[in-house]
Amino acid sequence: MLIAENLSCGRHGKTVLDGVSLQLKPGEVLGVLGANGAGKSTLLATLAGELPPLAGSVTLNAVPLTMQSAQQQARCRAVLPQTPSLAFELGVRAVVATGAYPFPELSPAALDTLLDRALNLADAAAFTTRRYTGLSGGEQQRVQFARVLTQALAQRTSGEYRALLLDEPTASLDPRHQLLLLQTVARLAHEEQLAVLVILHDVNLAAWWCDRLLLLANGTVAALGTPQNVLTPPHLRMVYQINATVMPHPNAPERQLVCFG
């Protein structure tokens, strides 16, 4: 399991977040919310092992990230950055196949099956014969999502921990594909015991699709818990500096709908 304990993280020696403790559990989606500059991406990069902790610890399967090689980490967790970049004229299938690099033991047949599944889950199968750089921003995002799904869903020992870390994966997607992506993430978490952390800006998408929410404000954790416990008018006012009304969602009263202003 991916666990942070009393974590301080930042960039260039400057602390952005302090005192963060969390467990990324199999079978759940943990949404991270906060205003611009709250430290969401910095937290994800630290949990992914891309930035060293300034204090506290991050462990993956009870071993500190700092003691694990990139190869070891890549077999347990997949990361979709906020702005994935690729300038090479690769075909879409080749880009998605890079997600399988940590798993050289996969047979060609198993790899083909895995790529087909990931492309279909990301609704990107129609792009298979195209070049990545010729796609729109939203289409490229769906291909990148297929890539991290390939990495997360590669065959492992039964019960082995798998984490998926997604930084604003819906940012360049149209409403239909925002819903499809989060629906896919939630289904894979619940049915295949993936542990998912997803950074979102849309509070209502987070309220609908996430099992737990981590709310960041003022350089620390403002709230951590179920959407019902986290998405309260006082918490939202603290984070976003505007008033919010929280009510039952008209299509699912057990869920919440947040209106700002």
Side-chain angles (χ1 to χ4, degrees):
M1 190 183 305
L2 186 63
I3 299 175
E5 294 185 348
N6 201 27
L7 178 67
S8 293
C9 53
R11 299 177 187 269
H12 312 297
K14 181 180 179 180
T15 300
V16 176
L17 286 171
D18 191 38
V20 178
S21 295
L22 63 87
Q23 296 183 352
L24 189 57
K25 302 174 183 178
E28 76 163 10
V29 180
L30 173 63
V32 180
L33 295 170
N36 292 335
K40 301 182 295 296
S41 294
T42 300
L43 174 62
L44 185 145
T46 306
L47 295 175
E50 297 169 1
L51 291 174
L54 300 181
S57 66
V58 181
T59 58
L60 178 59
N61 296 329
V63 180
L65 282 184
T66 53
M67 297 178 61
Q68 299 187 38
S69 68
Q71 174 77 9
Q72 289 173 313
Q73 294 181 42
R75 290 184 67 91
C76 298
R77 62 98 183 100
V79 182
L80 180 61
Q82 186 175 352
T83 54
S85 59
L86 179 64
F88 299 107
E89 284 289 338
L90 293 176
V92 163
R93 196 173 183 87
V95 173
V96 177
T98 62
Y101 282 0
F103 306 94
E105 70 274 15
L106 287 174
S107 68
L111 177 58
D112 280 341
T113 299
L114 177 60
L115 295 180
D116 288 340
R117 183 187 182 197
L119 284 160
N120 282 318
L121 285 171
D123 195 29
F127 313 145
T128 301
T129 60
R130 296 175 61 183
R131 294 287 180 181
Y132 177 83
T133 53
L135 301 176
S136 71
E139 291 169 340
Q140 289 183 355
Q141 186 74 343
R142 285 150 62 188
V143 171
Q144 292 289 347
F145 181 50
R147 174 185 61 78
V148 295
L149 288 180
T150 296
Q151 186 177 350
L153 297 174
Q155 186 62 46
R156 295 166 171 79
T157 304
S158 178
E160 188 172 349
Y161 182 78
R162 299 172 294 170
L164 191 59
L165 309 179
L166 308 172
D167 193 348
E168 297 189 37
T170 62
S172 60
L173 299 180
D174 60 57
R176 173 174 174 264
H177 285 99
Q178 290 180 14
L179 294 176
L180 283 174
L181 184 147
L182 291 171
Q183 182 182 53
T184 297
V185 164
R187 186 173 73 251
L188 292 174
H190 301 154
E191 294 179 358
E192 302 206 18
Q193 293 300 292
L194 287 184
V196 180
L197 182 147
V198 56
I199 293 174
L200 294 168
H201 270 300
D202 190 315
V203 173
N204 286 306
L205 284 177
W208 186 275
W209 294 108
C210 297
D211 302 297
R212 289 193 301 150
L213 295 176
L214 175 69
L215 199 58
L216 301 177
N218 303 318
T220 190
V221 175
L224 173 61
T226 65
Q228 291 78 9
N229 290 332
V230 169
L231 297 179
T232 65
H235 286 153
L236 293 167
R237 172 70 184 178
M238 180 196 311
V239 171
Y240 298 108
Q241 303 299 305
I242 55 174
N243 293 327
T245 301
V246 182
M247 64 190 77
H249 196 286
N251 296 332
E254 73 279 8
R255 300 183 188 272
Q256 293 167 290
L257 180 67
V258 177
C259 299
F260 288 104

